Amino acid sequence: MKRFSRTVDFEVFRPDLDQALACSDGSKGGRPLFDPVLMFKILVIQTLNNLSDERTEYLTNDRLSFMRFLGLGLSGRIPDAKTVWLFRERLTQAGAIGGLFNRFDATLRNAGYLPMSGQILDATLVAAPKQRNTNAEKADLREGLIPQDWEDKPSKLSHKDRHARWTLKFTKAKPQDDGTMPSSDLAIPFFAYKSHISIDRKFRFIRKWKTTDAAAGDGTRLREGLLDKTNTASTVWADTACRSKANEDFMDKEGLVSKVHRKKPHLKLMPRHIQRSNAAQSVIRSHVEHVFADQKSQTGLFVRTVGITRATMKIGRANIVYNMRRFLLLERISATE
């Protein structure tokens, strides 16, 4: 936490926080609000350590390193779990996470970390609590309707996630105990949201991102603002999910060079030259997998909330914290050179 305090200037977030919270000047009285930058730092602590609101309150009171990071003394007033929830909820409803992400991205650019050497796109599933719905309820949800039984019970509706979706996650089959290979790959059902990101090849910061339900196609997102047009190079790497005529035409129109993996012909062997091309592109494209591995292993990325608005807030915070941790790493490397 000490390195975070020394390297990241959290004051740059204050204008966006003040605008999102629309705080009063205190002229009407009432108990003074906690400083919004301090509260945002608490969200950073929470994301870094994968903490619940109650655990965040406990550890903030318990750990001196957290107190020093927040600028609090032993006798200082510390926000409780409800205050942390309310602060996060206000930012969520204000849709502030996009502005906060862009604010830190501007900080990275001012520090010299411009998007360079092209960009890499990919998506990953972010698990959400499973919903136990009937077939009729699932049919209504697919049509964008709210089941009648849920409308009559507001308390039940508030606990039902109507935006996450089931999908199949395919993984390569592994040899069995007797050494034989299964005849097909494994398909694992997943109830989740999907995190789409675009990173720059040079510094591997997340530059663009989007949150959708798990069933949303990866390829369409490429044409929905996921490409960073400020990158100094025009090359785009992505996997076969983004290979389509519409995407190739779109990138050609935008002056971008496609390095998207080519798909294997149906019921035919992959031509050798395409195999070599895909293998060469995989060496570069695999860098984006390190981002997802970091988010899931280091910060335990998982959506525990209900609805895509809160899921977007969760994934957006994880993206900001990843960029902060990456910034700390690159600054430490440059200091030792």
Side-chain angles (χ1 to χ4, degrees):
M1 303 309 299
K2 186 184 298 184
R3 288 190 290 113
F4 264 84
S5 299
R6 288 200 306 260
T7 309
V8 178
D9 180 15
F10 283 90
E11 283 297 321
V12 300
F13 297 105
R14 187 177 294 278
D16 296 273
L17 293 172
D18 288 340
Q19 181 180 359
L21 299 171
C23 298
S24 66
D25 57 6
S27 59
K28 295 183 179 180
R31 189 177 187 181
L33 297 175
F34 284 99
D35 179 62
V37 175
L38 179 145
M39 295 299 299
F40 183 69
K41 284 184 173 182
I42 290 178
L43 295 188
V44 170
I45 290 176
Q46 193 175 49
T47 304
L48 272 170
N49 299 277
N50 192 24
L51 302 175
S52 65
D53 294 338
E54 290 73 16
R55 189 66 177 168
T56 300
E57 177 187 354
Y58 174 80
L59 291 179
T60 304
N61 279 284
D62 182 70
R63 294 190 177 179
L64 291 176
S65 60
F66 286 5
M67 291 184 184
R68 285 193 291 266
F69 174 65
L70 298 173
L72 297 173
L74 292 175
S75 60
R77 187 164 66 102
I78 294 177
D80 59 19
K82 184 66 174 180
T83 303
V84 174
W85 183 88
L86 286 171
F87 176 78
R88 186 177 62 249
E89 189 69 8
R90 290 181 67 183
L91 291 183
T92 301
Q93 298 307 321
I97 193 62
L100 294 169
F101 179 89
N102 292 336
R103 180 71 66 176
F104 189 66
D105 185 61
T107 299
L108 296 175
R109 294 168 188 260
N110 292 336
Y113 297 103
L114 299 175
M116 295 180 179
S117 304
Q119 54 193 304
I120 311 171
L121 279 64
D122 205 357
T124 189
L125 295 173
V126 182
K130 298 181 179 66
Q131 301 287 296
R132 307 299 181 184
N133 301 326
T134 65
N135 291 334
E137 291 171 341
K138 292 177 183 178
D140 287 339
L141 292 175
R142 282 193 292 268
E143 296 177 5
L145 304 175
I146 300 176
Q148 183 63 41
D149 183 51
W150 296 6
E151 287 187 315
D152 297 338
K153 299 177 181 178
S155 59
K156 182 176 182 178
L157 178 61
S158 65
H159 289 85
K160 286 292 187 178
D161 196 331
R162 293 173 285 135
H163 302 113
R165 290 290 183 270
W166 284 99
T167 189
L168 291 177
K169 182 177 181 180
F170 293 93
T171 184
K172 293 293 183 181
K174 298 180 181 179
Q176 298 179 353
D177 294 337
D178 58 2
T180 59
M181 285 293 294
S183 58
S184 61
D185 292 336
L186 302 177
I188 303 172
F190 231 78
F191 188 76
Y193 288 95
K194 188 177 286 188
S195 171
H196 307 261
I197 64 170
S198 170
I199 68 169
D200 66 279
R201 181 188 174 192
K202 174 69 174 179
F203 300 111
R204 303 180 193 175
F205 287 112
I206 299 173
R207 301 295 182 171
K208 298 288 184 179
W209 61 281
K210 190 179 183 67
T211 301
T212 65
D213 63 77
D218 297 357
T220 308
R221 309 289 88 72
L222 182 144
R223 306 190 301 274
E224 296 179 351
L226 201 60
L227 290 173
D228 182 11
K229 298 179 181 179
T230 66
N231 198 294
T232 59
S234 58
T235 314
V236 178
W237 286 267
D239 62 14
T240 55
C242 293
R243 168 67 67 170
S244 68
K245 186 178 185 305
N247 283 346
E248 296 299 309
D249 292 343
F250 177 82
M251 285 187 283
D252 184 63
K253 182 179 178 181
E254 295 292 328
L256 300 172
V257 178
S258 172
K259 292 291 184 180
V260 180
H261 276 38
R262 294 185 178 274
K263 300 178 180 179
K264 177 183 176 297
H266 184 59
L267 299 178
K268 296 181 181 179
L269 293 176
M270 177 78 81
R272 184 58 62 88
H273 71 281
I274 295 181
Q275 288 184 21
R276 290 196 295 265
S277 175
N278 283 351
Q281 293 169 10
S282 292
V283 174
I284 298 173
R285 196 198 67 79
S286 62
H287 293 159
V288 73
E289 302 292 351
H290 302 165
V291 179
F292 296 138
D294 181 272
Q295 289 183 324
K296 292 184 178 181
S297 63
Q298 297 297 319
T299 61
L301 183 57
F302 182 89
V303 174
R304 292 183 172 84
T305 53
V306 173
I308 195 168
T309 303
R310 293 189 179 100
T312 301
M313 179 67 177
K314 172 72 175 182
I315 293 173
R317 284 191 292 138
N319 291 341
I320 292 175
V321 168
Y322 167 81
N323 279 354
M324 287 181 176
R325 295 181 68 247
R326 183 72 183 168
F327 181 49
L328 263 63
L329 174 64
L330 294 179
E331 287 290 283
R332 187 170 71 242
I333 292 174
S334 63
T336 58
E337 292 178 349

